[in-house]
Amino acid sequence: MGEDETLVSSPSYKNMQAVILAAGLSSRFWPLNQKHKSLIKIMGKPLVWYTLQSLKKTGIKEIIIVQNSKRDVEQELKNYLAPNSFWFDLKYVIQKTPEGMGNALFQVEKLIRDDFFLLHAHHFDVNEFIKPMVEIQKKTKARLVFLGQKVTEPQKYGIVSLDKKIRNRVVKIVEKPKKTKESSGVGLKGIYLLPKDFFRYYKKVKKHQYDFESALQLYIDRNDVRISVGDETKVSSSPFAVARVTKKDLPTLKFPWELFGVNRQLMSRFLKKKIQKSAEVSKNAIIQGKVYIGENVKIFEGAKIKGPCYIGKNCIVGNNALVRDYSNLEEGVLIGANAEVARCVFQKNVHCHSGFFGDSIFGENCKIGAGTITANIRIDRQNVKSRVKGKKIDTGLNKLGAILGNNVQTGIQVGVMPGVLIGSNSVIGPGTKVFQNIGDNKIFYRN
């Protein structure tokens, strides 16, 4: 059976548990981390909602979400999961302080009965991997299975290192290594099938931000761990663990610009071509391709929507505006006359007047003055670099505009250079050209 088959419900899957991690500070996701990053909305739903729907396809009915003390995930999901009609048993557990993935997992120890799945809240495609992971566990009698993928940038991941003598034996997990010949190029992708006794290993390691990886390394040190690629299952007679390598493209969401890839994948899977009856679309407007237009949307004369695009309820697209190519406009977004929006993700109640907005992400309630331009291509045409937590990072994108947090305001004629991040609640004065990141709660003017 291939990985792309839809997993059907069966008693073996119904009895399993899934743990979703949604408690971290998402510090590398700044300036979009006012809430947990899994609450970013695409096509009207938070990312974690898509993950729950993916688990629904597997037949797993017992789900535990680890959230932070804000309880923002729990509060948000109340708006999307009808009470008394759950198809699953959903529990919430609090991680009081952000002490890493291992500590978050440890909070659920008393709720775990047997083998269980562990995943991050943005893994909306988890249903495609659960079945092959369970199958290889059964065929090899492995106790632990973790999912890997060949990566081109090993410095961004935990990388599987192999034994030089036994070609498929895993000996080490190297955290964000430099690119070397000894690296397998297989990165950990954040979906694990763990035995209950994994907690025993976790208790033995020194506690720090990456103690989950330390516990995984201890498991590797004390057991026979093999790697399996594709349909290969004869990895050893009875390994204790298997690193299953998939050829499918898994979404990552460490940095805010990776939201573009997530947006594309979700639109490719779930976007519906539809215009709601209450929408008012001018006869002179042009709608091309797969476009969803929500309730009470107004599309004015001369406007053009070129799909794939999602226009959420109560949005307004002004005269002669152009919205195109995987743009996602959440509820209440206003695009002014003559503006162009290309490949953007706008959260709810963003208001933009005339200007160009390319490959940009705006948080909730941003107010953008007329004539604002988000430059999205470097003058030398090289990949755009962005500064995260003081370090300059190659985004891997040759097109990247601005990324704004919540409640940002700009005056007229503002220009923002490629890859610039602007923090929540900040104000950019009229005529300002922004060449560097602006922190939260700042007022920034430059003549």
Side-chain angles (χ1 to χ4, degrees), residues 230-431:
D231 294 327
E232 179 188 338
T233 56
K234 295 180 180 179
V235 292
S236 89
S237 56
S238 57
F240 268 77
V242 176
R244 193 187 194 288
V245 181
T246 179
K247 296 180 181 179
K248 284 185 173 292
D249 185 24
L250 281 85
T252 57
L253 203 60
K254 294 180 180 179
F255 302 106
W257 54 82
E258 291 175 328
L259 188 61
F260 293 116
V262 170
N263 178 58
R264 277 178 171 265
Q265 288 191 48
L266 285 173
M267 281 197 177
S268 298
R269 291 168 183 244
F270 302 116
L271 182 64
K272 296 179 180 179
K273 184 177 181 179
K274 186 174 183 179
I275 299 177
Q276 295 289 354
K277 292 182 180 180
S278 58
E280 298 178 22
V281 180
S282 169
K283 293 181 179 179
N284 295 325
I286 299 174
I287 311 297
Q288 288 184 344
K290 187 180 288 187
V291 175
Y292 176 90
I293 297 177
E295 297 175 358
N296 303 313
V297 169
K298 294 182 179 180
I299 310 292
F300 283 82
E301 291 82 358
K304 184 174 183 179
I305 315 296
K306 185 178 179 181
C309 286
Y310 173 87
I311 314 294
K313 63 182 180 181
N314 301 318
C315 287
I316 297 175
V317 180
N319 297 80
N320 304 311
L322 171 61
V323 180
R324 61 184 176 92
D325 304 336
Y326 290 98
S327 286
N328 180 88
L329 310 184
E330 291 298 319
E331 177 181 355
V333 169
L334 184 153
I335 305 300
N338 303 305
E340 180 178 354
V341 178
R343 299 173 300 277
C344 288
V345 177
F346 289 176
Q347 297 299 285
K348 67 178 185 180
N349 298 324
V350 171
H351 290 188
C352 300
H353 293 276
S354 62
F356 172 74
F357 310 99
D359 303 279
S360 297
I361 306 172
F362 290 1
E364 297 178 0
N365 305 312
C366 290
K367 302 293 185 286
I368 309 301
T372 294
I373 302 293
T374 61
N376 62 339
I377 302 176
R378 286 170 53 112
I379 197 168
D380 59 8
R381 298 304 192 263
Q382 293 184 8
N383 283 352
V384 177
K385 296 178 176 62
S386 192
R387 192 168 291 276
V388 177
K389 301 179 73 171
K391 295 182 179 180
K392 186 175 285 189
I393 296 176
D394 185 342
T395 65
L397 303 173
N398 60 9
K399 290 183 180 180
L400 174 61
I403 300 178
L404 280 59
N406 295 344
N407 309 310
V408 174
Q409 297 183 58
T410 74
I412 63 169
Q413 302 297 328
V414 166
V416 186
M417 296 302 107
V420 166
L421 314 179
I422 299 177
S424 294
N425 308 310
S426 289
V427 177
I428 310 300

Side-chain angles (χ1 to χ4, degrees), residues 17-26 28 35-40 47-49 51-52 55 62-69 71-74 77 90-109 111-112 116-124 126 188-194 198-199 202 208-213 216 251 253-254:
Q17 297 168 290
V19 177
I20 297 176
L21 299 180
L25 292 176
S26 307
R28 289 176 294 186
K35 295 180 181 179
H36 191 268
K37 60 187 176 183
S38 67
L39 298 180
I40 290 285
L47 297 180
V48 66
W49 182 87
T51 301
L52 290 173
L55 284 171
E62 189 171 343
I63 300 172
I64 305 166
I65 296 180
V66 184
Q67 61 178 339
N68 58 39
S69 56
R71 306 175 76 99
D72 51 3
V73 175
E74 182 178 359
L77 282 177
L90 179 60
K91 295 183 176 68
Y92 293 96
V93 173
I94 303 295
Q95 184 188 28
K96 294 181 180 179
T97 54
E99 297 181 37
M101 179 175 171
N103 179 266
L105 175 60
F106 188 64
Q107 307 307 310
V108 308
E109 180 189 18
L111 298 176
I112 298 300
F116 65 99
F117 279 94
L118 175 68
L119 61 144
H120 295 288
H122 64 273
H123 279 128
F124 56 83
V126 66
L188 302 184
K189 301 301 290 188
I191 301 177
Y192 305 86
L193 174 52
L194 299 176
F198 184 80
F199 292 103
Y202 176 75
H208 56 91
Q209 191 70 18
Y210 299 103
D211 52 21
F212 175 84
E213 289 79 1
L216 192 60
L253 203 60
K254 294 180 180 179

